[in-house]
Amino acid sequence: MTASQSVDLVTLGQRLRHLRRTKGMTLEQLSAAVGRAPSQLSVIENGKREPKLSVLQALASALGVQVADLLRPEAPSRRAGLEIELAHLQKAPAYQGLGLPSVRAGRRLPADALEALIGLHRELGRVLTEQSATPEVARRANAQLRVNMRERDNYFAEIEQAAAKVLRSVRHATGPLSQRGILDIAAQLGFTLHYVSDLPGSTRSVTDLRNRRIYLPQVASNKGHDPRAVVLQTLGHFVLGHADPSDYGDFLRQRVEANYFAAALLMPETFAVEFLREAKADRALAIDDFRDAFGVSYETAAHRFTNLATHHFGIPVHFTRVHESGIVYKAYENDGVLFPADVTGAIEGQPVCRKWASREIFQAEDRYSSFYQFTDTSAGTYWCTVHIESTRSGEFSVTVGTPFEHARWFRGGDTTRRTVSRCPDPTCCRRPPADLVSRWSGSAWPSARVHSHLLAALPPGTFPGVDAQDVYEFLDRRA
């Protein structure tokens, strides 16, 4: 057995040096006690040589400790811990590639200089990681976030409680939240709202923390977003105690929580659950009615339904937002439906089966009317209700689905529309029919439209995609 199999060599060296000095022994005295040359022990203390077990036993005996004391993974002191970290950082490929000399963190190196060097190394690592982040980072982060949401049935009790506390603070007693109520909430939290025409293009809002001002786009320039939701999402970051996101996964988590908070204010839990309970009793659950009752977008109502359906009514659900091209932009499930996924487990960017309701609706004779469908899949039969929303990026289908046995609670649960999906079997819809192949194989040459975001690194910055200079110049103008 060797030391490198059980402990980091740099840490071992630091522990050896610390124990030797604690015993008041010089390197020469320890070398004499174990019958090894001082130079041999020096390279061990510097973490550059792997000692044999017999040498470790001799060193431990000479120092009056157990071998396990030499092999413990923690640094013997804070200073030693910093020296170990610096040694590892200087061996990293990122630093080695710079061709700069290594700094020996001996006793003569002042503590503040040591900490400054480590700080620079950490920042170098952060910047390089940020620059090299690819869409795979986002996909993995999204996949993990979806796992966390599924484990909680997409219900966040602590955010519901935070939203309820805010509503009580402004004495909101019943029904949907009005614009007046939103202004009261902002004032209660110490912010004023300012609608401007020159908000930086990479932002939906900018908050001046120094002067407690929230700048928002004028309604006319805010196409595609409920202006009330944008305000409440911004306030949500402060109510929920969000700090600057540490990485892309943290950024996504904060965005989900802020969106949840906004929906919990626009569609308060108490009133929303009461509304849904009455609809369920009538076997007439409908996202359209839920939307209209609270004056929100269909997508917001669909999301909010997924927050409450399983926790309060035991109805498992899935949700998708699918582009007219058939690509998934958003998805969530806790009902066992099998979404298309890549090797990382990510769903976003994957094509949905052509037989699913979220794509069938685009072929419907009247695509803007209520659309319901049963789909037989390898995971079971699912009922779905779908609605199309038009945006500047094209049309999207927003789908809420549930297993067959729960369809009875919904309006449209008696639909006769039914399809069969065999995906991921390529003969379902991925492979063209044989007659089309025979007519056109070898005679078609499409020019693919490659979206640049498929190849690009993730947007840099603490808040991905936001140009900090634009934000600071904007605040300067408004100061």
Side-chain angles (χ1 to χ4, degrees), residues 139-305:
R139 290 197 297 271
R140 289 186 184 278
N142 243 356
Q144 183 57 51
L145 185 61
R146 199 172 62 254
V147 169
N148 297 340
M149 293 164 68
R150 186 190 307 123
E151 289 174 348
R152 305 178 65 165
D153 288 328
N154 207 21
Y155 179 81
F156 292 74
E158 67 278 13
I159 300 181
E160 298 285 359
Q161 292 165 8
K165 181 178 180 181
V166 168
L167 290 172
R168 288 195 299 270
S169 74
V170 295
R171 299 181 180 178
H172 179 75
T174 184
L177 184 64
S178 67
Q179 182 65 27
R180 178 70 256 171
I182 291 173
L183 291 173
D184 290 343
I185 289 173
Q188 181 75 18
L189 296 173
F191 289 96
T192 55
L193 308 183
H194 303 265
Y195 293 89
V196 298
S197 60
D198 60 339
L199 200 71
S202 60
T203 66
R204 288 198 293 170
S205 70
V206 173
T207 302
D208 176 353
L209 296 174
R210 183 181 301 162
N211 298 298
R212 308 291 285 181
R213 294 180 170 190
I214 298 176
Y215 293 100
L216 300 147
Q218 292 176 345
V219 175
S221 64
N222 197 37
K223 190 180 295 183
H225 295 287
D226 183 338
R228 297 175 305 160
V230 175
V231 177
L232 296 175
Q233 288 160 8
T234 302
L235 292 171
H237 289 298
F238 304 110
V239 173
L240 300 176
H242 290 164
D244 287 356
S246 58
D247 54 31
Y248 198 76
D250 196 31
F251 168 76
L252 290 178
R253 177 190 60 78
Q254 290 185 7
R255 187 174 67 174
V256 165
E257 292 178 354
N259 289 346
Y260 191 116
F261 176 80
L265 289 178
L266 290 171
M267 308 177 78
E269 181 177 22
T270 301
F271 313 122
V273 169
E274 180 182 358
F275 177 89
L276 293 174
R277 181 174 289 113
E278 291 178 1
K280 181 175 181 286
D282 293 337
R283 300 192 175 219
L285 286 171
I287 306 302
D288 311 67
D289 293 350
F290 198 33
R291 170 199 62 191
D292 296 341
F294 289 89
V296 297
S297 71
Y298 189 93
E299 184 175 348
T300 296
H303 266 302
R304 189 65 175 141
F305 183 80

